[in-house]
Amino acid sequence: MTVTVSSQLTTGIAPERFKSLFRRYPAGVVVVTADAGRGPVGFTATSLTSLSLSPPLVSFGIALSGSSWPTIERASSAVVNFIGAEQEPLARTFATSGIDRFAAPTAWHRLPDGEPVLDGVAGWLRLSVQQIVPAGDHRIVVGRVEDAAYDDSRRPLLFHDGHYLAL
């Protein structure tokens, strides 16, 4: 019996098709912030995943081409900021390249250990970076949740098919 394997299966699908498929998969919106001693950085992400309950581990992906990557690579900690349904402008700010994302009107402060956290978010997780895993043109950052705050009364912001939506 002869089995024919398409070259598409062995090489993967085209990047635009891959992006198009995942744009249709709804995801929660977070902003990851960190500071490795040279000032705060942050980026909007939809790749947050809960990995383990004991110990409490989460992961997120970051592009090697992203302006925040050099800081994330050096940081020993990071903060995952859960973006509320009414905070689309904040999500857009941290998704925009070439700007000072922490400049006004962004309101933020530092946690006791120095990590930058955004004011008014629906919640946050303070992570100690445990591992950085190579994954193509991205890295997967695994973090242990060391502290957290969350407002149960807030609705999350979602991203679906290129648009921000409230749940």
Side-chain angles (χ1 to χ4, degrees):
M1 178 175 166
T2 304
V3 176
T4 304
V5 177
S6 121
S7 64
Q8 193 172 26
L9 291 177
T10 59
T11 61
I13 63 174
E16 286 307 312
R17 181 171 168 87
F18 185 76
K19 277 176 54 175
S20 177
L21 288 166
F22 271 87
R23 284 176 63 122
R24 288 171 176 77
Y25 182 75
V29 179
V30 299
V31 170
V32 177
T33 55
D35 190 340
R38 297 184 182 157
V41 300
F43 62 98
T44 299
T46 57
S47 59
L48 181 67
T49 303
S50 170
L51 294 177
S52 169
L53 185 58
S54 183
L57 299 175
V58 299
S59 70
F60 60 86
I62 181 170
L64 294 173
S65 60
S67 61
S68 296
W69 166 241
T71 297
I72 297 294
E73 181 181 31
R74 292 188 316 273
S76 61
S77 62
V79 175
V80 173
N81 298 267
F82 292 94
I83 305 305
E86 75 288 354
Q87 295 180 301
E88 181 179 335
L90 187 63
R92 288 187 181 283
T93 294
F94 279 86
T96 302
S97 299
I99 64 167
D100 179 357
R101 297 169 180 153
F102 287 86
T106 301
W108 64 283
H109 66 280
R110 291 189 184 273
L111 294 174
D113 290 336
E115 297 92 352
V117 64
L118 302 174
D119 292 348
V121 292
W124 51 263
L125 306 173
R126 184 175 65 82
L127 313 175
S128 61
V129 175
Q130 302 292 297
Q131 187 176 11
I132 297 177
V133 181
D137 61 359
H138 279 62
R139 294 297 179 259
I140 300 168
V141 179
V142 177
R144 181 182 180 122
V145 179
E146 303 292 349
D147 198 4
Y150 201 79
D151 180 348
D152 285 337
S153 69
R154 304 277 297 281
R155 296 178 311 137
L157 184 66
L158 301 179
F159 190 75
H160 177 257
D161 203 18
H163 302 283
Y164 290 103
L165 306 165
L167 182 63

